[in-house]
């Protein structure tokens, strides 16, 4: 799943690396506006619908936090 998440993130910003603990927001790879693009891309890639209540920066800070969010949705 991590590889698929990284693929989605790299489509948004090719500079995002594979460090699962790097804070994507603090490092400037994504901003709050890009989270919406990421949500739409993840929903399409994983054929899911992410509850709007879960669209908070804490769930999108790192690759691992995104993976954990998606794993909860299974």
């Amino acid at each position: 799943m991590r590889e698929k998440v990284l693929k989605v993130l790299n489509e948004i910003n090719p500079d995002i690396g594979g460090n699962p603990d790097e804070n994507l927001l603090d490092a400037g790879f994504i901003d709050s506006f890009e989270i919406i693009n990421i949500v739409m891309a993840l929903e399409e890639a994983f054929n899911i619908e992410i509850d709007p209540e879960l669209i908070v920066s804490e769930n999108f800070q790192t690759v691992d936090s995104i993976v954990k969010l998606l794993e909860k949705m299974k």
Side-chain angles (χ1 to χ4, degrees), residues 2-54:
R2 177 174 279 116
E3 293 80 21
K4 195 170 180 178
V5 169
L6 276 171
K7 182 180 177 191
V8 169
L9 292 174
N10 282 313
E11 289 174 5
I12 305 289
N13 183 340
D15 294 329
I16 294 175
N19 182 349
D21 297 319
E22 183 170 35
N23 189 314
L24 302 173
L25 294 164
D26 288 347
F29 290 118
I30 62 172
D31 60 30
S32 58
F33 296 108
E34 288 173 315
I35 289 176
I36 300 304
N37 293 332
I38 292 169
V39 167
M40 292 187 309
L42 290 171
E43 288 179 334
E44 184 176 319
F46 288 92
N47 197 28
I48 58 170
E49 186 174 326
I50 298 175
D51 188 325
E53 293 178 4
L54 298 174

